[in-house]
Structures are given as structure tokens and as C-alpha cells.
Amino acid sequence: MGKLFSLTYPTAAVLLAIRHGHRYGFDVMDATGLPDGTVYPILRRLERRGVLTGAWEDEAKARAEQRPPRRYYRITRVGEEALTEVVGRFPALVRVFAAEPGTA
Amino acid sequence: MDTPGSWLIGAASRLVPRARRDSWRREWEAETAYAWTSLRRSGRTSRFATLRLWARILTCTIDALWERKETMKMTGFLNDVRYALRGLLRYPAFTTVAVITLALGIGATTAVFTLVDGVLIRPLPFPRPDRLLAIEHQGRDGQDQLPISSGLYVTYREQAASLEAIAMYQATVVNLVGEGEPERIPAEAVTPSFFQVLGVQPVLGRTFTEEEGAPDGEQVVVLSDGLWRRNFGADPSVVGRTLDMNGVSRKVVGVMPPDFGHPNRDAQVWLPLVVDQAQVSYGGFGAGGIARLSSGSSLEGAATELQGLVDRLSEFAPADEAAFLKQVNLKAVVHPLKEAVVGDVGRTLWILLGTVGFVLLIACANVANLLLVRAEGRQRELALRVAVGAGRAHVLRAFMGESLLLAAAGGALGVAVAALAVRVSLGLVPTDIPRIAEVGVDLRVLGFSALVSLGCAVFFGFFPLVRYGTGNLANQLREGGSRGGTTGRERHRLRNTLVVVQVAIALVLLVGSGLMFRSFVALRAVDPGFRPVGVLTARLSVPTAEIPGAAETADFFLLLRERLAAQQGVEAAGLVGRVPLSGGVSFMTIEVEDQPRAEGELPVFAFQASAGPGYFETMGIPLLEGRTFRREDGAAGTHAVVVGKAFAQHWWPDQSAVGRRLRSFFPDEDWWEIVGVVGDVHLQSLEDQPGEMVYFPPTFGAAANPFVNRTLDVVVRTSGDPLQFVAVLRREVRDLNPRIPLANPRTMQDVFEGATARTSFTMALLGSASGIALILGLVGIYGVISYLVSQRTREIGVRMALGASAPSVRAMVVRQGLTLAGAGVAVGLVAAGLLSSLMSTLLYGISATDPVTYGAVALALVAVATLASWLPARRAAGVDPSRALRAE
């Protein structure tokens, strides 16, 4: 597989956060602790490269909470392959997220 | 949604490309709304937590900026160019054809523009050129075109307040005798004011003083930059040296800057034109007149003032001369100097520029058609770009990037083509085109071709854009880009229109060149009145210092003629003032003895020439009656003239002219007896009718008027190649007097060809332009028809499966090609008819609406179109139905 994106530490963190169920932009910021301004550009780039794919949450659920539906991110098949690389390269980071209950 | 910060998100969203803006905004608003709600629910509404959320919301600007940057990167101009370059390199055949087509079009246009710019557009190379005038005169209501006379020059100089300065100039030739061979160099005799009028300072020394322009002034000379470099190695100490010119010692007083000269840059030296105030002539129009307007006066003002002076000429001029000029109804004519210099060549050049402009248009139409095909293949890809957020501007750039790149390559190659074409064609351009020395490829020309290239890019980039603009692209994607088995008519309307336009333009150009060709043929068929083949001519000038006496000068020429006639291989040899068709004619007022002029009748002019013994025989001009000149004619006391047929018939229709007598206007002149009548000769040009002609012997006038022709053309008819005889001619002249140089040896055939040069030059240019147009038009038709066939393969397959025969399929395809060609021919015929009046002044012996030319061209184009659609038709007829149907 050709290299899809430069796998930096922040990118790996974002991927792992999503893998562990932090699917919304603000949640990823909270989960990774990365500077707020850097998260969205990473999400955008990964989405463009087909590593992530975005979708809108169920409207009924949002209406029930009296707020607009949020956009969440999912890891694609391509993203799953990228994750195996993350595991290989950032084992410590993987352990940090593994301490949390995985939901993905 | 009214959550805190939504205004900020709304503002930031303006940075996001429109296609993604809505979704981007909803995402951020949803996140903030959710975050505020969670904050309130958790009850941790501390100032710190609120601030922290605000800070997070603020980062939406970073996200928005990132989105913007990414889109910009994707649609960045350089990226487009790189993308376009990759796209073009992927189709080398397409790219090569397009670039070469453009290079031809842009190159031809640039080359002709170079000519037009140098000759017509650029101001004359003098300070404040708009203030410069040419002063000319007309007599007998425009029948006589006259320059200026010394009398009028003096009158204008002293009386005209609207002129700051006025000058006369006269082209001449001097024999410069240096260390080596004597050299005959073109010179100009000018009044000292010449340099002030033009406003040019010498680079060394000075120009002439008023005293040097008066009788008994010092013998001085001003050198051109060219002569100074060539003969004196640019030695500044040349000023003050004396040179032997025409046997006279002249002191060099100055050197002019390079490229100085008027009306052309031929003159190598300038001599003072001596005007004797006491002895000016009002009727002797022998010099050109130029002037500079004084400040505050206008061209019209100057014209009115000069005409006023001409009307009051009796106050300044001797009574008989004033009366004479009144009789011919003399009018002063004032033109801007540039107009006078450029003359009638302007129309030819503009037509040529228009012609190559048309060729460029055809080239662009071809490239546009090629690009339309390419664009069809790119629809899906562009539709995808629109879908991911590329705006209208981006699609435009995607098309334009390719167009610009093609145009840039075509333009660069075109400039190279133009530079080459200009260099080659300067050798072919007829020398009578004025200012030709000023022509060259420079920054202005480069700017022009850059502009033309840009125009081309916009032109042919525009067509695919119209066809596949962003609006259409959206539909395209929705349709999934499926190629229909049948092709909609409107799909090809644009391409068809382009082909029709191409054919129409090609027809206009072909008609133009066809008419030019027929003019050329007609001109070549004109009988010049002499037989040019086998005749050598050269010019000889005897300076007074070399042979002072009139009789001795005549003897020199006559002896030379006899020696030449005695050479082996020489059939005849003769002398003449100036061979026909070599420019310059002189005319005189004529009075015929048996038909005296009535009071108030306008004087009659006739062309005059001096022709020595042997001239008519050498040139093959037929003797119709009487005899030609003998050796003794022209000697003191003899008064024999020979006249042309037109002259004889004008005065004595149906009667013999021999034995009649004539004289020039002035009553105290002797009568001259007509001894012979010869055939008419085209003197000035082949287009003009031969004039009424009187030949005098070269050395005429007895003791009372010791005027002698010191400059004559020798003509020699040889049995072999005339140019082989030049060496013999040189030897014979040298044997008689080694200090008399021989100038401009050439064959009469060359002189004759020179007279058709402008027509043949125009024909050659129009011919090559229309040839290119025809080929490009052919390629255009072929391209469109083959494309149609390839698009309709399936349909044709169905037709054939249903029983259509190969010939019927062929006919169908050819019919399609012919429909396009027919429409183009029809439009072209109308356009050519409308434009024909522009051509009429360039034509000779043929009407600008000549039906034969129009018909032949139309037929030729239809034939070519048939051929161009025949090839794709054959391919269509060869379609295998089963395979065609499977292919989709």
C-alpha cells in the first residue's frame, strides 16, 4: 500500500481516539488533548484522503436533545490499514487509549 | 440557531469554499451547541470553562482558513499549469498539431505586423515628427504631380510664417575617388536647412552653414555613419579632411548619426544644394520639399498660407514664370511627412495584415475544434472537480490553463517563425516599399505577438467553456457521463459553426489570392514595348572634373558605344537617359509648329527622354516610320527628335508625323524636326498606359545651351548570357577612363521583373496565406467529419445491420461534409463580394468581382471538402455492424 498521509504523532492520536469511540470533532479534542486548532485540519485531511468518512448523526436523536445533528467520523477500510501502521509505530500511544474502554 | 459563537462561525464560514460551506457551518454549529448544552448540564459554568469553550470555538477560523488554503492549493494557478502541461504531454500528437498550427498563424501575423509597424505605425525617427510636412504641387488639376522648385522654395522660406523651416533635397550620385577603385555612392544634395527641419544633430562636427548653401560657398560634405565606418574606420579625425568627389575636393564638416536619412536611408553623403537667390527657377520642379511647422500653426493653416502665396506668385516671380504657373493652375499640396513617405503602400500592407489575421483566425478555429474534442473527454473529470467544491473560476482556469499553455508555446515558436520570415522576406520585398530599412523584430513586435497569443488563448479556450461550462457540468455528472448512442444535433453545432467559418475565411483568402494571381498574369502579359531578354544595362556618370567639355563628354559616350557594339557576341549597343521601368520620368511642355496653342489653353506636356544611336535597336523598340538616331544627331546645330506612336497619333492622327516640328514651351527655343516614329514603351510602370513620348539625342543644345547629359544608361544586347558581359563592359569603360565607375549593372529582364515585384510579392504572400488557410480548412473538415463518424459508429452499425449499403453510408457521411462546406462557401462568397472593393486598387486587368475566379475557388473548395470527408466516409462504410454494436 502506498503512503496515504504522513503518519505523525497527532494524526495517530486522532485515529486512535476515533477508533476508541470519540467520533465528534470536539470529543477528539478532549480525548487527545491536542491543541484545539490542530484537530479539525487533521480530520479534514484524513477525510480527503479517504482514511475517515464523515456522516450526520440521527436527526431524531438530536431533536430530542434540542440541538442540531452533529457530524461524526468513522474509520474506513483504508483507515483500518493505516491503524495497523499506527499500532506498529506508536505502541505507547496505543496503550494510553487501550486503558480506556474501547467502543469502536 | 442562536448559540453563543454562532455569529463567529458564520463569519468564518465565508472563508470556506461555497461548495463545502453549508456542511462546514452546520458541523461547527452542532459542535458548539452540543458543547454549551453539556456545559450547562454538567453545572460547571465556571468562568474558566466558559473561556475555554470560547477559545475552542475561536479555532473554527483556523479550520476555515485550512479549508480555504487546501482549495486554493487544488485550484492554484501554477497547479493548473502543471496539470495542463501533463495533460498536453499525454497527447503529443494533438499538442504538436495545435502548437504548429498556432505557430504558423501567430508567426505569419507577427511577421506582417513587423512590416506594418515599421512602415506604417511607427512615427518617423525625428523629433516631433507630427510637425513635419511634405510640400508638393499639382498642375493642371492633378494631371501633373510636381515636387518643389527653387523659386517656390525661396518664396515660402521668406514669406510663410506657418513654417519654422523649409528645406529642399535632391537625390544624386557621386563618384568618390579614394585609393582603390572609384566608387559610385548614392548622395543627396540638401539645403543647409535640411538638418534643422528634421531636427537631427550630427554626431561629429557640424552640418552646413547658410553660406555653404549659396553660390561660391565652400565645397563641403557631411558623411553618413555607414560611410564613415566603412571607409574611414570611424576615425573622428575625418572631420576637416578633404575627399575627391566628382573630381571636386570637398571638406568633410560632419558625420550624421546612424539610421539618419530622408526620404530613405540610401544617401551615404550629403552635399549642399546650392540655391542662387538671383537665379531661382519657379517652373523647374526638381527637388523634394519638406518643412517643419512653426509653433501654434497647423497643417491646414500652412496649406492655406502656401496656396495664398502661389496665388500671389506674380508679386515674387518673374512675369513669364508666374504666368506659366498660373496657366497650369498650380496648387500647393501639403501632407504630413509620414503620409508622403509611406505613400500608397499602406493599403497593400493593411490588406496583408488582414489576410494573415484571417489565417490566424482559421488556425484558432482549428485549435478550438481540437480542444472541444479534448474537453469532451474531460467532462467527467471536470464534473468531479465541481462536485468536490471547485467553483466556476476554477473550471475556467482548468480550460484556460491548457489554452494559455498552447498559445504560449505557439506564440514563442511563432516569434521564431516571424523572425525568420522577416529576415527572409526582407530580401524579397520590393525595394520600392518605403522605410523598409526601419523594419525589424523588436520589443513592440514581441509585445504584439504576446497579445495575439493571449487573444488566441481566450478565443479557443472560450469555446469548450461555452459548451462545457459549470452549469452543464453539473448535469453531466448527474447523467453519469453516459455516452449516448446517438448524438444530439446541438452537441455539434459549435464545431460545425467553426468549420463553416473556416471554410468561409479560406474562400475569401483564396478569392483574394486568385485575383492577385490573375492580375499578375495580366501584368506579365503586358507588352512593355521592348524586348527585355538578352539586354544588359548599367549606369555611367561622367564628372565635370574628369571630362569638362560637353562635346568631349558626348564623344566619350559615343566612343564607348561603338567599342561595345564591336565586341564579340554583341548584337547591338545603345545609350539612353534612363531605361524604362527603372523609376523617374521627366516631362516637358510641348508646342507643335503646325498646331499653335490657343490663348488660355492649358499647355500640353509630353514625356521626354534622351536616347542615343543604337538605343531603339538594342531594346527591340520597333521603328514605325522614318529613321532612328544617328551618331551625328545631337551634335551642335542638329535638331532631330524621334517620337513615340502615341505622341504621333495624338497630334497627327492618320497622318505622317515625320518632318513636323516641335519645341519646348519657351518661344525663343529652336524648332526640332521629327525624323522618326517608334513603338510606345511603358516608361513608369506596366499598369499605366504608355505616355506620349519625345526622344532627344543625349547631347543636345548647341553653343547657346551647352547642356549635356553626363549620366546615361548603356544598353547592350548580347547573344549569350548578358551578365557574362559585365566584365567586358567594365574593361571597356576602364580603358577609356579608369576614374569613371560603372554602377548597377543588371539585365533588362531584372528591371522588367522589378516592375511586377509588388504585384508578385502581394501575390506570393496572399498565395501562401490562402494555401495555409486551405490546408487548415481541410484539416478542420476532416477532423469534424472523422469525429462525427467515430461518434456515430454505433448508429452506422445499426443502419448497416438493417440493410444500409456501404455506398449509401459513404454518401451520407460525404453529404454531411459537403453541407458544412456548402454553407461555408455560401457565406464566404458573400463576404468576399463585400470585401472585394478593398482589393480593387491592387488589381490589374481584372474585376474585383470576377465571376471566373469566384466560381473556380468555390468549386475547388467543394472538391477539397469532398476529399476531406471521403476518408472518414470510407472508414464509416467499413464498419462491421456486429462489432460496432458490441463495442458499446
Side-chain angles (χ1 to χ4, degrees), chain B residues 632-756:
Chain B
E632 56 272 22
D633 292 322
T638 62
H639 291 97
V641 292
V642 170
V643 297
K645 187 177 157 200
F647 185 90
Q649 284 189 339
H650 176 261
W651 291 99
W652 305 280
D654 311 320
Q655 289 180 56
S656 170
V658 173
R660 317 267 180 179
R661 301 210 298 172
L662 59 84
R663 67 179 175 186
S664 177
F665 171 72
F666 297 105
D668 52 344
E669 279 220 354
D670 292 327
W671 290 100
W672 292 70
E673 189 184 324
I674 298 172
V675 298
V677 180
V678 294
D680 284 326
V681 168
H682 283 267
L683 213 58
Q684 271 181 293
S685 70
L686 293 171
E687 288 94 332
D688 295 329
Q689 284 300 310
E692 293 153 20
M693 189 77 210
V694 179
Y695 296 94
F696 290 88
T699 46
F700 62 74
N705 183 17
F707 178 80
V708 60
N709 282 73
R710 289 189 164 273
T711 303
L712 289 176
D713 282 345
V714 247
V715 286
V716 182
R717 179 174 290 278
T718 59
S719 48
D721 177 7
L723 285 175
Q724 298 286 320
F725 195 70
V726 175
V728 181
L729 184 57
R730 279 191 200 284
R731 189 192 65 213
E732 290 302 309
V733 173
R734 203 169 46 232
D735 282 358
L736 281 176
N737 188 328
R739 287 162 63 82
I740 295 172
L742 189 76
N744 205 6
R746 55 197 175 142
T747 65
M748 277 312 289
Q749 188 66 29
D750 285 342
V751 174
F752 178 67
E753 311 249 318
T756 59

Side-chain angles (χ1 to χ4, degrees), chain B residues 378-400:
Chain B
R378 289 178 65 187
Q379 283 175 82
R380 288 271 306 158
E381 166 225 325
L382 284 164
L384 271 173
R385 281 187 174 210
V386 170
V388 299
R392 187 171 281 275
H394 167 241
V395 175
L396 186 122
R397 279 209 304 254
F399 278 123
M400 279 300 167

